[in-house]
Amino acid sequence: QELWFTDGRAILSGQNGGGKSMLMALGLPFALEGDKSARRFDTLGGKERSPYGVLYPDGEAGDQPASRTGYIVWEWEHSGNGQWCCTVASLRARKGDKHDVTFEGAVIPGRRYGTGDGHFTLDSDEPETPVDIKEFRKRVRAVEGATLADKKKDFMRAVNGTLFHYAGGTDDLATLFDL
């Protein structure tokens, strides 16, 4: 799914259970800090929902793939100089292992998301299927100046250094997301 924000604003409307709160829980804090604790995935601030449950919402039922990877991509344009940047947060889980959910994030300055010259994409050859995590890493490493992180603190440092430039660094960024 793609969401376009006009002048930095969007209105989300829909039925109860339609995913509006989940979009906000995952779309901002998780996608910019990589915190995979249950409190980030439970839209009421509890511990009922986990990152595993996002990738396997039906639990162990049915014929599901042995592993799943999900990506959240944000494309940013600097209002002063028009430079673009992509941030990517990924989660990966294996079916049946609720405690082994891994995170990787990337900050890709100077790129827009999509296809074409100067763009970064996670599209695979399969329709509506993103690349696997190995290909994700390969694509990030191929971009000069890009940062690939598998730890929350490293990802937050890259996000802050590229997008926000808070003097207090990741502590200030974490405070922003806890508001």
Side-chain angles (χ1 to χ4, degrees), residues 119-150:
H119 285 69
F120 179 83
T121 185
L122 294 171
D123 293 343
S124 71
D125 294 334
E126 300 288 324
E128 297 186 26
T129 304
V131 297
D132 65 21
I133 200 71
K134 289 180 183 178
E135 181 64 19
F136 165 66
R137 292 178 193 136
K138 179 180 169 186
R139 291 182 185 190
V140 171
R141 289 181 180 127
V143 178
E144 185 177 336
T147 301
L148 182 63
D150 62 357

Side-chain angles (χ1 to χ4, degrees), residues 26 30-31 41 51-52 54-56 67-73 88-93 101-105 122 129-133 136:
L26 290 175
F30 171 73
F41 290 83
Y52 181 87
V54 171
L55 294 171
Y56 286 99
S67 69
R68 282 192 171 158
T69 302
Y71 300 97
I72 298 175
V73 179
V88 184
S90 73
L91 280 177
R92 188 177 69 227
V101 178
T102 58
F103 160 81
E104 289 188 52
L122 294 171
T129 304
V131 297
D132 65 21
I133 200 71
F136 165 66

